[in-house]
Amino acid sequence: MMAERRIIPTFNIYKTLGSEVSFIFSNLEETYNPYDASSPHRHNYYEILLFLKSGGTHEIDFNVYPIQKNSLHCISPEQVHLLKREPHVNGYVLSFTKEIFLEESTGITFIDRFPFFDNPYAIPVVQMNDVEQQKIIFDIVTKIQSEYLSENQDKDEALYSYLSILLIAVRRMYASENIHGTLVSQRTELTHKFKKLVDKDFRQNKSVSDYAKLLNISAGHLSDTVQKDTGKTASEIIHERIILEAKRLLYHSPKSVKEIAFELNYDNPSYFNRFFKTHAEMTPEQFRKHIREKYH
């Protein structure tokens, strides 16, 4: 008998963390006291988890990453994640909303410049093996902690500035290092626009030519650019986004597979079943059974 569906809760930074500000710095152990991080959940805010020791796993949108010493895990709003750290694992958590950058000269698009946020196609983990990298990050985090605990004048502005510097430092590491065997390169503006469009329109537009028209370029040029930047074809990126949404719906939605197919704009549920099995290596029903048993 299939396990009863469990709704994945979404935690609000203001209610869950008991703060009226849009930035919170805390110890890893303290941040997860308000709720059970070993159960699937999501936030309406961004998080950077800095792990100081190894032990356990962190599952983000159904991908499992080992918790390694001196690593950074980046969580975006609405991502489903499941943290299973061993008791001795400590570190820090930086929680913040997009709105903290609204008053900055860079504007709200500042957060969009970081490939590890709001990007379901990217690996959200940075491993700091280099001593100099560790020193850079730890120095910034120490400054953030000191400022956060202070009563300094213009404290908020200082914190947001330090956070901006931290994000830029992490981006430099992310762009230049070999992460889990995959070379991550800087994305061109075209690839960035393509991925933003896919994330917005994947339900309606499912072919490379659809997005090429929206971007006023040829399908061939789009495909060549995306593959050069990401190592994946444009079609693979479109399909990955559809499959991710299907997995999310299969786990936390009460809808039938047929209804989910229609929600994703597949008029033929049988075709959707074949498409899902090709990319997920199991049928939608098999995935639903597997994922619900796993979390119960």
Side-chain angles (χ1 to χ4, degrees):
M1 181 177 178
M2 185 179 298
E4 182 182 353
R5 179 178 64 91
R6 178 183 295 174
I7 298 294
I8 298 178
T10 299
F11 296 97
N12 182 296
I13 192 170
Y14 307 109
K15 294 180 179 178
T16 304
L17 301 181
S19 173
E20 296 180 357
V21 300
S22 53
F23 174 77
I24 294 170
F25 180 93
S26 61
N27 292 329
L28 180 67
E29 310 90 296
E30 296 172 354
T31 296
Y32 287 92
N33 278 342
Y35 57 86
D36 183 6
S38 64
S39 296
H41 64 280
R42 51 184 145 204
H43 317 134
N44 72 343
Y45 50 92
Y46 297 88
E47 273 193 347
I48 297 178
L49 280 66
L50 171 55
F51 295 103
L52 301 180
K53 296 181 181 179
S54 302
T57 59
H58 191 188
E59 185 167 325
I60 306 171
D61 271 337
F62 310 107
N63 293 311
V64 180
Y65 304 97
I67 296 173
Q68 301 285 1
K69 179 181 179 181
N70 298 327
S71 65
L72 295 152
H73 291 206
C74 305
I75 311 299
S76 300
E78 302 311 315
Q79 281 194 307
V80 177
H81 77 122
L82 172 67
L83 180 62
K84 293 184 176 180
R85 64 180 178 87
E86 293 181 6
H88 69 277
V89 174
N90 62 341
Y92 302 104
V93 179
L94 291 84
S95 306
F96 57 95
T97 68
K98 180 179 287 190
E99 285 71 28
I100 69 171
F101 297 109
L102 278 173
E103 295 182 357
E104 300 297 317
S105 59
T106 49
I108 199 167
T109 57
F110 179 74
I111 201 69
D112 295 329
R113 301 179 185 180
F114 301 96
F116 40 82
F117 283 135
D118 297 316
N119 185 0
Y121 321 98
I123 296 172
V125 175
V126 177
Q127 183 65 47
M128 299 179 292
N129 294 315
D130 185 90
V131 174
E132 183 59 30
Q133 290 180 339
Q134 294 168 21
K135 183 178 184 303
I136 290 170
I137 296 299
F138 293 152
D139 283 350
I140 300 171
V141 169
T142 298
K143 287 183 173 67
I144 291 175
Q145 183 180 35
S146 177
E147 190 69 34
Y148 187 79
L149 296 174
S150 77
E151 297 296 334
N152 292 337
Q153 186 177 4
D154 301 325
K155 172 180 172 178
D156 289 347
E157 288 81 357
L159 284 171
Y160 303 158
S161 296
Y162 282 136
L163 177 59
S164 299
I165 294 170
L166 176 67
L167 291 174
I168 291 169
V170 176
R171 180 174 62 189
R172 288 173 178 170
M173 296 177 190
Y174 191 93
S176 64
E177 291 193 354
N178 190 300
I179 303 174
H180 295 294
T182 303
L183 183 64
V184 180
S185 62
Q186 288 283 5
R187 295 177 290 163
T188 65
E189 185 64 22
L190 176 58
T191 299
H192 176 75
K193 289 180 179 178
F194 166 68
K195 286 186 172 182
K196 295 292 283 186
L197 276 175
V198 171
D199 205 40
K200 174 176 169 285
D201 295 336
F202 66 90
R203 289 179 177 83
Q204 290 73 37
N205 299 319
K206 293 181 168 55
S207 71
V208 177
S209 60
D210 289 335
Y211 293 98
K213 289 177 183 176
L214 291 171
L215 293 165
N216 295 313
I217 58 173
S218 70
H221 177 51
L222 177 59
S223 295
D224 290 345
T225 303
V226 170
Q227 186 151 25
K228 179 181 178 181
D229 287 348
T230 68
K232 297 179 181 179
T233 67
S235 291
E236 285 176 327
I237 287 174
I238 296 167
H239 294 163
E240 285 177 359
R241 185 63 186 90
I242 296 169
I243 291 297
L244 173 57
E245 195 66 19
K247 286 180 175 180
R248 288 173 173 174
L249 290 169
L250 285 165
Y251 177 72
H252 69 79
S253 168
K255 295 182 178 180
S256 67
V257 172
K258 183 178 180 180
E259 289 172 324
I260 290 173
F262 289 152
E263 180 170 337
L264 296 174
N265 274 335
Y266 285 94
D267 295 330
N268 186 336
S270 296
Y271 176 80
F272 171 72
N273 282 351
R274 293 194 298 272
F275 170 79
F276 188 93
K277 185 175 182 180
T278 297
H279 294 278
E281 299 182 345
M282 63 180 75
T283 67
E285 284 292 1
Q286 287 171 337
F287 175 81
R288 171 172 270 173
K289 182 176 185 295
H290 164 75
I291 205 69
R292 289 184 179 176
E293 287 177 348
K294 180 178 180 180
Y295 291 146
H296 285 77

